[in-house]
Amino acid sequence: MASSSKIADEGEDEISEEEFEGFDDFTLASSWERFISEIEAVCRLWLADGPKNLLEKGAISLDSTKNLYKVKFEMKYGKKSYCMEYFFEANSNGESLDWNDDLHDLQLCFGVKKFLVIAPISASGVVLDAPEASKLLSAVSIALSNCDSTWPAFVPVHDPSRKAYIGIQNMGTVFTRRFESDRIGSQVAVTLMHLEGLYELFISKFAFSMVDFSMYLFQVNFTMRLTYQTPPYDEEDVTPEADRETTDSAADSDVDTRSKTQWDYDCPWTEWYSAEDPVKGFELITIWSNKVVESSPQMAELENASSHEAEKWFIVPILSPKLTDEPKGNTVGFASQLHLLVNALDASAEAQFMEDFVSAENSASDSSLTIPPPTVLDRVLKDLFHEDIEVQSSNYIKGEHKNSCVIKGAPLESLFAQFCMNCLWFGNCNIRAIADLWIEFVREVRWFWEESQPLPRIPTNGGIDLSRCLIHQKLQMLAICIEKKRRLDQSNQDNFEREHCLSRHIGEDGKVSTVPTQMQAFTEEFDVKRDSSLRRDNSDSSVQGSCIEPGNAVGSACLRPDQIRKGSSGLVGSMMLLYSPQMMHAPYTQDPPIMTEDMHEERLRAVEALGGAFSFSAQLERDILSSDMSAFKAANPDAVFEDFIRWHSPGDWENEEIKEKRTSADEGLKNGWPPRGRLSERMSERGNSWRKFWNEAPPLPASEQKPLLDPDREGEKVLHYMETLRPHQLLEQMVCTAFKASTDTLSQTSCGDLKQMTTRMDQLYLTIASILKPLQANVFPNKVEMIDDLRRLCIIFEHVEKLLILAASVHRNLSRAPRLSEAIFDDCYSFYSPRMGTGTLGSDARKEFNMKQQVRRYERRVVENMFTPPTANQSWRKVLRMGNLLNGNEPVVREIIFSLQDIDTYRMYICGTSNDLQVALSVTSCD
């Protein structure tokens, strides 16, 4: 009744318009005909423009496809407004493929390329009235026929959730093609869940109803696309820890058995946090194409066939939406914690000492500056100081990235680097929590110093690395001082025991027995061994000095009775002294004093303040040179200054060529003594500082000299530095070390041979070094600008961290298919990398990742093993399964296209699951 009343109203409008016009115009006799004329005019305009001009005039690109565009036009008919949209392809190269990802839903359902859609402008966007839908479709069909166009036209009908359409297409002759699609959202018949029933459904559309489908042979073209998804994680079906060994031994090694462990349990970042797996699963698409089916039993055989018989396999990762659209602060990773550390650096200038931040006044001023409970503090200190960890100098370099040296921080495994990493997770990494942990950290370091215990995570088998941050250098200095202090205490203890043993062997007459004589020789041997084994001629004396020759400890036949050779490490080749027919002995010498970066700068300033009294090199090496001279005099009592130069600085001694022939009678000359030569001009000039040092140096072996490095004094200086360190100086070094340690940790991630990730990590190191350069050089020119740069660096770090975790997940899932793993990550990288750190992309950018990679034949077994058999909870609906199982997993979506062979008169597209079925039918007929 409603539709008939509308027609009556329209008729009255037409009569009144005709009376008003005063003449009869049979070409535009009604509003419906004017509506058709308006549609025709728009279609003629679109036809005349063509795809190229339509793109220039602002055609809209569809987000879901790369090659499909649309233009639209709004019009009114009666009291309703409609929108007509024309969909076309920018590049029309041949026929559309059945399973092309760039196809629109209507293209896939009905096999068309360009088409029109006319729909009402309303909330639903569909035509609910069947006569109205037929009238719209007829108007468009007439308009297209008048334009001699073969564009198919569609009208959406029924409820929007049904995705139902009706359509029509003029084939240019007497043939007309009609389209119809609909969807069943529930209670799908069991017969339509299997290929045999779907085949019979298609046959029923053109065969007589009384025909027995099992007896007649209908040649039907068949193509199918099956989409599988890896099974979700089911906590109820996890293998218990106690039974895991038994299960693993019985299971196939290729099948990924699930356990309670996190997916990233062996990744380097799991020491600090557990990352959410960015790969939620995988979709496998198998395509069966170009098959001709003649009977229902043949379809039943296809349903039971192996998926390996499919012509093509494609795989698509299901990625987490948080890769780009993550709310700020929702995830916990290195980037988020580094951002908090930068905030602490910003607040570090508010106080002069770290103790000021933990005072009662500051604790009451801001409730957000919380400190974790003492139990957490004790656990962190135990992890730092009391774990049984041995760190060698070689391990520092071994675990670092090749570009790690450009960042001036502490090595990843060092004590200060581990302190910085713990600070990132201590409380909420605020300045109060950092101050509290630093104060306890320094107290713990002092305990190791006072108890002469080796400082953990700091090796003592090397010098001080000046390329590291100053706090790490100070800790290295303290560790060396502790080691020297321990050796000195041990030596004093041994001397006391020997003296006690010596006193017990003194007789009543005051004479020493033979046993103490042996003890005395042992004592002297120990003192010699305690000295450095470095010789100035760059030779290793550790072997020669391992035992003491009698001539080295007591006076030899060539020495005067009042002279004793001490501290000799052995002969210097065949060299002899100038003024005594004795072989030259190399002495044990003290190691050069080690210095930190600030000590070098302090000494340089002192030398500059002294002026030109001595040259810089002489002033810097005066203590070392005097020590070497004293040791050389003790090892060679008859030596002169020239002998020391011949040993210590051979370049400053010029040998003379002996041209005259020696006689065999002169035995001394035959043995090459005395040596002939002279000092260089530099050493022979008047007032030479080296000769002055020689004259002042007493003959003392290295074991009796004053140490060049006073461990007590230098150790206390280190602790004083750490206890009085300004907050901003501490936080500056912490920021540099935390960025370096976090990057070094991520660089250890195993993600296969992914060149994009390798390049991105190299660029990250250089970016960090460039931004941190003012902090590394102790230059803080503009605080606001520097903090802003550091916060931008945190954003860059977050992007790289997300990509690296994604690369690790992809590699973990496809480690046995490296080509496929690399290809998938390349797609992910090209899709996500431009979206990270940019506001908007071009209008043609895809919003969702749907790039797929073809699986080659030799890779299919690896991909199949990712689809583990369903658990008991997942397979309770076995009766309702569709078939086409892959390792017991049914496809989440099955798409089928039926068409008659040779003539494309009937075509049916079927897409569905066990509880959802969509059917689209196109029929060509002669009207």
Side-chain angles (χ1 to χ4, degrees):
M1 295 296 293
S3 60
S4 62
S5 63
K6 292 180 181 179
I7 297 174
D9 294 338
E10 291 172 359
E12 293 177 359
D13 293 339
E14 295 168 4
I15 295 173
S16 62
E17 290 174 1
E18 290 174 358
E19 291 177 352
F20 181 79
E21 294 293 339
F23 62 91
D24 295 332
D25 186 355
F26 293 101
T27 58
L28 297 175
S30 65
S31 60
W32 185 64
E33 291 176 334
R34 289 196 296 272
F35 181 57
I36 295 175
S37 178
E38 189 176 6
I39 296 175
E40 181 180 343
V42 175
C43 291
R44 287 184 183 277
L45 181 61
W46 288 343
L47 282 168
D49 286 338
K52 184 177 181 181
N53 292 332
L54 290 176
L55 290 175
E56 294 177 355
K57 291 182 178 180
I60 302 173
S61 173
L62 273 69
D63 294 335
S64 59
T65 62
K66 296 179 180 178
N67 194 36
L68 195 63
Y69 297 81
K70 71 175 181 178
V71 290
K72 63 181 180 179
F73 184 81
E74 296 182 3
M75 61 193 72
K76 295 190 69 175
Y77 173 54
K79 297 181 180 180
K80 290 188 175 183
S81 298
Y82 296 92
C83 179
M84 184 171 66
E85 296 177 324
Y86 169 50
F87 295 81
F88 65 94
E89 294 180 351
N91 300 316
S92 180
N93 299 324
E95 295 293 332
S96 297
L97 299 176
D98 289 336
W99 307 120
N100 191 346
D101 289 338
D102 292 333
L103 293 180
H104 188 271
D105 289 341
L106 293 177
Q107 291 178 315
L108 182 61
C109 290
F110 300 111
V112 297
K113 297 188 67 176
K114 46 190 174 181
F115 54 92
L116 289 173
V117 175
I118 185 168
I121 301 177
S122 61
S124 63
V126 298
V127 180
L128 301 178
D129 188 33
E132 181 185 358
S134 299
K135 194 170 186 178
L136 279 176
L137 198 59
S138 298
V140 177
S141 178
I142 294 171
L144 292 174
S145 179
N146 294 338
C147 298
D148 293 330
S149 173
T150 59
W151 292 347
F154 299 95
V155 175
V157 294
H158 306 310
D159 186 80
S161 62
R162 293 170 63 175
K163 299 181 181 180
Y165 287 87
I166 60 172
I168 191 170
Q169 180 183 14
N170 297 318
M171 305 298 291
T173 57
V174 295
F175 293 99
T176 302
R177 194 177 184 186
R178 298 187 180 276
F179 308 96
E180 183 179 1
S181 67
D182 205 346
R183 174 174 173 266
I184 304 175
S186 61
Q187 296 181 352
V188 178
V190 177
T191 56
L192 299 181
M193 292 167 53
H194 300 278
L195 295 182
E196 185 177 359
L198 296 175
Y199 170 79
E200 294 177 355
L201 174 65
F202 176 67
I203 298 298
S204 66
K205 296 299 179 181
F206 60 86
F208 293 107
S209 59
M210 69 281 298
V211 173
D212 186 1
F213 300 142
S214 61
M215 298 299 296
Y216 283 81
L217 299 179
F218 298 96
Q219 291 188 339
V220 175
N221 289 332
F222 165 80
T223 178
M224 179 172 63
R225 178 169 68 176
L226 303 178
T227 302
Y228 300 89
Q229 280 188 4
T230 52
Y233 181 77
D234 193 348
E235 295 183 356
E236 297 181 1
D237 292 279
V238 173
T239 303
E241 295 289 338
D243 300 334
R244 185 181 301 170
E245 296 182 359
T246 306
T247 305
D248 290 344
S249 61
D252 186 2
S253 60
D254 291 340
V255 178
D256 181 20
T257 57
R258 298 187 179 274
S259 64
K260 288 185 179 181
T261 56
Q262 296 288 339
W263 75 274
D264 58 349
Y265 68 96
D266 58 346
C267 292
W269 62 77
T270 51
E271 182 181 356
W272 308 105
Y273 69 95
S274 179
E276 179 183 357
D277 194 348
V279 180
K280 299 303 180 182
F282 287 88
E283 282 189 354
L284 174 63
I285 301 172
T286 61
I287 295 178
W288 310 66
S289 58
N290 301 325
K291 289 188 175 295
V292 179
V293 182
E294 296 182 347
S295 63
S296 298
Q298 190 174 355
M299 292 299 300
E301 293 178 2
L302 283 174
E303 186 168 331
N304 296 323
S306 172
S307 299
H308 289 274
E309 297 182 12
E311 283 78 6
K312 295 179 180 180
W313 277 27
F314 295 93
I315 188 171
V316 181
I318 305 173
L319 303 180
S320 171
K322 295 181 181 180
L323 280 173
T324 53
D325 302 330
E326 178 114 22
K328 187 176 180 180
N330 191 27
T331 58
V332 177
F334 287 131
S336 62
Q337 304 310 112
L338 289 171
H339 184 83
L340 297 176
L341 185 61
V342 172
N343 294 339
L345 172 63
D346 191 17
S348 62
E350 299 176 358
Q352 293 295 320
F353 301 100
M354 295 301 293
E355 288 80 2
D356 297 339
F357 289 107
V358 295
S359 61
E361 293 80 5
N362 286 330
S363 61
S365 60
D366 192 351
S367 59
S368 63
L369 302 179
T370 58
I371 297 179
T375 55
V376 179
L377 178 63
D378 293 341
R379 178 183 56 80
V380 173
L381 294 176
K382 181 180 178 181
D383 292 341
L384 286 173
F385 292 97
H386 302 289
E387 293 292 335
D388 187 14
I389 298 175
E390 293 185 2
V391 179
Q392 301 295 330
S393 299
S394 59
N395 293 341
Y396 284 169
I397 303 176
K398 183 178 179 180
E400 288 187 343
H401 191 270
K402 61 180 181 180
N403 291 337
S404 179
C405 58
V406 300
I407 306 174
K408 191 172 183 179
L412 176 60
E413 298 299 330
S414 66
L415 182 59
F416 182 62
Q418 292 299 305
F419 166 80
C420 295
M421 295 295 283
N422 277 277
C423 278
L424 294 179
W425 313 99
F426 187 69
N428 57 351
C429 195
N430 61 73
I431 188 64
R432 286 194 67 232
I434 294 174
D436 184 59
L437 184 58
W438 172 254
I439 293 171
E440 296 300 326
F441 176 82
V442 175
R443 288 176 181 172
E444 198 74 16
V445 171
R446 176 169 283 281
W447 181 89
F448 277 87
W449 163 251
E450 293 176 349
E451 299 296 328
S452 298
Q453 296 298 316
L455 202 60
R457 302 180 185 271
I458 300 292
T460 58
N461 55 349
I464 294 180
D465 190 352
L466 299 181
S467 65
R468 309 297 184 177
C469 67
L470 186 56
I471 294 179
H472 178 71
Q473 297 178 36
K474 292 293 185 181
L475 291 174
Q476 282 185 305
M477 171 68 80
L478 185 62
I480 294 174
C481 291
I482 292 175
E483 182 65 22
K484 289 183 177 295
K485 186 179 177 182
R486 285 168 53 87
R487 291 181 181 178
L488 185 60
D489 294 342
Q490 182 66 32
S491 175
N492 293 335
Q493 179 67 25
D494 293 341
N495 290 336
F496 174 78
E497 293 178 357
R498 286 194 294 270
E499 291 176 359
H500 180 68
C501 182
L502 180 65
S503 63
R504 294 178 59 185
H505 290 81
I506 298 178
E508 296 179 355
D509 55 354
K511 295 182 180 180
V512 182
S513 62
T514 56
V515 176
T517 303
Q518 298 175 358
M519 181 62 67
Q520 181 179 0
F522 175 78
T523 302
E524 187 171 355
E525 177 182 355
F526 179 83
D527 291 338
V528 173
K529 287 183 179 180
R530 192 179 58 188
D531 296 329
S532 172
S533 62
L534 296 177
R535 295 170 54 183
R536 290 302 173 185
D537 58 353
N538 295 327
S539 62
D540 188 2
S541 61
S542 59
V543 178
Q544 297 180 2
S546 61
C547 59
I548 304 299
E549 299 178 3
N552 291 341
V554 298
S556 64
C558 297
L559 294 176
R560 296 190 303 272
D562 59 339
Q563 292 179 320
I564 299 177
R565 191 189 308 278
K566 295 182 179 181
S568 172
S569 65
L571 300 178
V572 185
S574 60
M575 295 180 63
M576 300 183 69
L577 300 180
L578 287 173
Y579 299 109
S580 177
Q582 302 175 29
M583 302 299 294
M584 182 183 295
H585 287 251
Y588 283 105
T589 59
Q590 294 193 63
D591 291 329
I594 56 176
M595 291 184 290
T596 58
E597 183 179 3
D598 60 333
M599 295 172 64
H600 279 284
E601 294 176 355
E602 180 182 356
R603 190 163 188 175
L604 178 60
R605 288 192 297 268
V607 171
E608 292 175 350
L610 289 176
F614 302 101
S615 64
F616 173 73
S617 59
Q619 176 66 25
L620 188 62
E621 300 292 338
R622 177 174 182 175
D623 296 340
I624 304 175
L625 190 61
S626 298
S627 173
D628 292 347
M629 289 177 174
S630 295
F632 187 81
K633 282 184 176 182
N636 301 277
D638 290 336
V640 294
F641 176 69
E642 287 79 2
D643 291 323
F644 175 76
I645 295 299
R646 292 169 60 209
W647 168 71
H648 189 279
S649 181
D652 288 313
W653 177 261
E654 299 175 359
N655 289 315
E656 292 183 358
E657 295 292 338
I658 303 176
K659 297 181 180 180
E660 58 273 16
K661 295 181 180 180
R662 304 290 186 182
T663 61
S664 58
D666 191 349
E667 184 178 355
L669 294 178
K670 180 180 179 182
N671 295 333
W673 187 85
R676 299 203 176 183
R678 62 179 179 273
L679 293 174
S680 65
E681 183 178 355
R682 181 174 74 96
M683 289 296 174
S684 60
E685 64 183 2
R686 186 178 182 85
N688 181 267
S689 59
W690 281 43
R691 186 177 292 274
K692 180 180 179 181
F693 298 155
W694 172 264
N695 295 333
E696 296 175 354
L700 290 175
S703 59
E704 299 178 9
Q705 295 177 14
K706 178 183 178 180
L708 295 175
L709 175 68
D710 187 350
D712 292 326
R713 182 185 63 185
E714 296 300 333
E716 288 295 337
K717 288 173 63 176
V718 170
L719 290 171
H720 176 74
Y721 167 82
M722 298 178 67
E723 290 170 348
T724 59
L725 187 63
R726 296 295 178 89
H728 72 90
Q729 294 176 338
L730 171 63
L731 267 296
E732 288 172 12
Q733 298 184 61
M734 285 183 61
V735 167
C736 296
T737 300
F739 269 102
K740 173 184 170 63
S742 300
T743 311
D744 286 341
T745 300
L746 292 178
S747 66
Q748 297 175 5
T749 304
S750 174
C751 54
D753 187 16
L754 301 179
K755 298 180 181 178
Q756 292 90 343
M757 209 62 247
T758 303
T759 304
R760 197 67 179 263
M761 289 300 298
D762 294 341
Q763 294 174 349
L764 178 62
Y765 275 104
L766 299 179
T767 303
I768 293 175
S770 176
I771 296 179
L772 296 182
K773 189 174 182 180
L775 295 182
Q776 297 173 356
N778 297 324
V779 178
F780 213 84
N782 189 327
K783 176 183 176 183
V784 177
E785 182 179 351
M786 187 66 202
I787 295 299
D788 291 341
D789 290 342
L790 290 175
R791 286 170 179 164
R792 284 192 293 269
L793 179 61
C794 292
I795 296 175
I796 297 173
F797 193 97
E798 179 183 6
H799 299 159
V800 178
E801 186 176 12
K802 286 183 177 180
L803 287 174
L804 189 66
I805 294 175
L806 174 62
S809 180
V810 172
H811 173 69
R812 181 180 298 274
N813 285 280
L814 296 170
S815 59
R816 298 187 180 182
R819 184 208 65 85
L820 193 58
S821 173
E822 184 175 355
I824 290 177
F825 181 74
D826 289 349
D827 292 340
C828 298
Y829 185 88
S830 61
F831 180 81
Y832 282 106
S833 183
R835 288 164 170 78
M836 292 181 172
T838 58
T840 58
L841 295 174
S843 58
D844 58 344
R846 292 172 178 256
K847 292 184 178 180
E848 295 182 359
F849 180 85
N850 59 355
M851 304 174 71
K852 61 185 181 182
Q853 280 292 330
Q854 185 171 356
V855 182
R856 297 178 181 176
R857 288 282 179 179
Y858 64 88
E859 298 169 333
R860 290 189 177 186
R861 182 63 64 182
V862 176
V863 175
E864 182 183 11
N865 292 333
M866 297 167 56
F867 293 82
T868 57
T871 63
N873 292 335
Q874 296 168 350
S875 59
W876 63 274
R877 300 174 67 248
K878 291 183 177 180
V879 179
L880 301 179
R881 289 192 175 187
M882 297 185 297
N884 298 112
L885 303 181
L886 176 65
N887 279 347
N889 298 276
E890 65 176 342
V892 294
V893 177
R894 180 169 58 188
E895 300 170 271
I896 301 171
I897 296 177
F898 291 110
S899 63
L900 285 182
Q901 195 174 13
D902 298 332
I903 53 175
D904 193 13
T905 55
Y906 283 84
R907 184 184 187 276
M908 177 181 286
Y909 168 80
I910 302 170
C911 175
T913 62
S914 58
N915 57 0
D916 189 355
L917 185 66
Q918 182 182 0
V919 179
L921 177 66
S922 61
V923 179
T924 304
S925 61
C926 178
D927 293 342

